[in-house]
Amino acid sequence: MKRFSILLLIFCLSLIGEEKKPNIVLILIDDLGLTDLQSFGGEISTPNIDALANEGMIFTNYHTTPECAPSRAMLLTGMDNHNTGIPMIPEVLPWKYHKVSGYEGYLRSDAFTLAEILKPAGYRSYMTGKWHLAFGGEEKAALPFNRGFDKTFILDATGGNNFNHHSYLPYYKESPWFKNGVKTNLPIDFYSSKFFVDQMIAFLEEDKGSEAPFFSYLSFQAQHIPLQVPQVFIDKYMDTYKGGWDVLREQRKNKSIEKGIFPPNKEIVDSLSSLESWSSVNEADKKMLIKSMAVFAGMLDAMDFHIGRFVTYLKDIGQYENTIFIVTADNGPEGNNPSDHEAWRAWFETSIYDRDYETLGDENSYVYVGTEFAQAMASPSHLFKFHMSEGGLRVPLIIKGPNFVNGKNDNFSFVTDIAATLSDIVYGSVRENIIGKSLKKSLQGSKEKNYLDTDPVGLEVTGNSALFKGDYKIVRNRPPHGSNLWELYDLSLDPGETNNLSYDMPDKLNELISDYKNYVEINGVIELPLDYSWAKEMSLNTFKRFLMEYIWWISIGLIVILVFIITIIRKIKLFFKN
């Protein structure tokens, strides 16, 4: 009896001492500028994300890649993009590279996702939203349902219509949606941000009897083009952007300083000076641009509203306090103007879409904000999506969770650090193949740098390159917004990238270039030819994709024609012989 009592006591003490593993909610926003969120200096209403920021840690110096698919692969695996099979957006990847290791165009089986990493710890994993890692769903083994996630409803494309199944690019005939690994249709009342939250809640409700911790990956289509949102969210912002992009860039810079995101008394690049001036835009075009920005703002507002619904649900079921929330973005704002591309214009004329002012933002509307407003939204940084300047790489990161302190951390952090941090929190160590650094100590209040001044962090996507080391960064962007020459910046003194030190500090420049060459060799980076154009490559890949779809019919048709010709020739020969 005494022995039984001692064993019972030991068992009870072990239960008390064992901490319950935290739930994890990863919220990924598409194409978001550093200062789009209110907590980072923006004017758009995002109270629910801001509430998480107020209770959590804001990382002011977080960097990702300049493109969506590579960022998503690195975020979920903690590995370099060239080791995941997603070196760039698959839609613009030259087909001749598909056989090269690391350039497959889909997530490799040896690039373990967070869902696969967390599964041995007893986690059940769910995903709703944009995946973009399985080559349009053609590589079934790379779909999230086959990569550790227990329940999924996902889009496996770079983007799509937010109200229906229509594609937003000629590359796809229609958007490829999958539920639990099987191609599926969308509900009639579909709106992306609302549905992703509804479906995530439904998944959790289906398993509400489980005691296992959960990992929820909410990957929103917002703020990817086409920008679309119910009218009620647009109306709030119809007067907000009448001052134009110069005013917006300056307002956001000042607000980011006030919020402690950007240091005071630091210069920023006059990025808009090389672009069209607001004063030169005619009134009709201004009207379209102002409403387009209202649609953008409304879409972010709507996403935040639905995030709030999910947070309320977690509070109602008693899971909020024991949940880690991670809110971030895949890259900077979209500065591409689709109408600049002839192939897009030809496709647009045959599509369901329109650009009518009165219906701008609805399900048949194709909305984008253009280069100048994208540059303003990246304020105070230079450039935007697709580029290795800070405007393409530096995005918000908010982490809130049990036993984490709230505040700001200004130290450099990187996209691969997310997987490292979660591995460290759950297992007490960082998984061997993860290259990122754990932010666990930072979340506990440490101001110590996670990267040593001797740690190089390299990055290459679609021919653009960067490397961080200590306070320094080298960056190389291709035309039209770059010279394809290396530039050197001291980000501790010049976070706006205004003073190129490559001529003043040649030894430091060569040191970082040497580090970059080592990065290239280790990760098998292919140097794209100088005449590579992502727009031309996408057009070529679109043609090849449709050709492959109809290749069998074309082959059968050619065979029938050939047989017919041979038969006619034989009959003619036979006629003349007789």
Side-chain angles (χ1 to χ4, degrees), residues 45-61:
S45 179
T46 52
N48 296 294
I49 294 176
D50 294 342
L52 295 174
N54 290 336
E55 294 181 20
M57 181 71 70
I58 291 177
F59 289 83
T60 66
N61 197 12

Side-chain angles (χ1 to χ4, degrees), residues 153-219:
F153 201 119
I154 64 99
L155 168 68
D156 194 50
T158 181
N161 193 298
N162 290 278
F163 287 99
N164 54 50
H165 68 280
H166 288 292
S167 175
Y168 87 107
L169 284 175
Y171 186 86
Y172 297 101
K173 287 178 65 178
E174 60 180 39
S175 298
W177 289 94
F178 295 85
K179 183 175 183 180
N180 296 336
V182 178
K183 206 160 189 179
T184 191
N185 296 317
L186 298 174
I188 295 173
D189 61 346
F190 176 83
Y191 177 68
S192 61
S193 294
K194 178 181 183 297
F195 179 79
F196 297 157
V197 168
D198 286 345
Q199 189 63 65
M200 185 61 73
I201 290 174
F203 285 157
L204 290 171
E205 278 292 290
E206 289 168 7
D207 294 341
K208 64 182 178 182
S210 173
E211 292 295 320
F214 62 83
F215 167 46
S216 291
Y217 178 29
L218 273 165
S219 179

Side-chain angles (χ1 to χ4, degrees), residues 266-270 382 489 493-501:
K266 297 295 182 183
E267 297 295 319
I268 69 170
V269 177
D270 186 10
H382 181 48
Y489 298 99
L493 301 175
D494 180 27
E497 295 178 305
T498 64
N499 183 23
N500 179 9
L501 300 171

Side-chain angles (χ1 to χ4, degrees), residues 25 45 64 86 206 234 285 331 339 354 397 403 427 542 575:
V25 174
S45 179
T64 180
I86 309 286
E206 289 168 7
I234 300 172
D285 287 344
N331 46 250
S339 61
D354 62 62
L397 173 62
N403 303 317
Y427 292 107
T542 299
F575 175 80

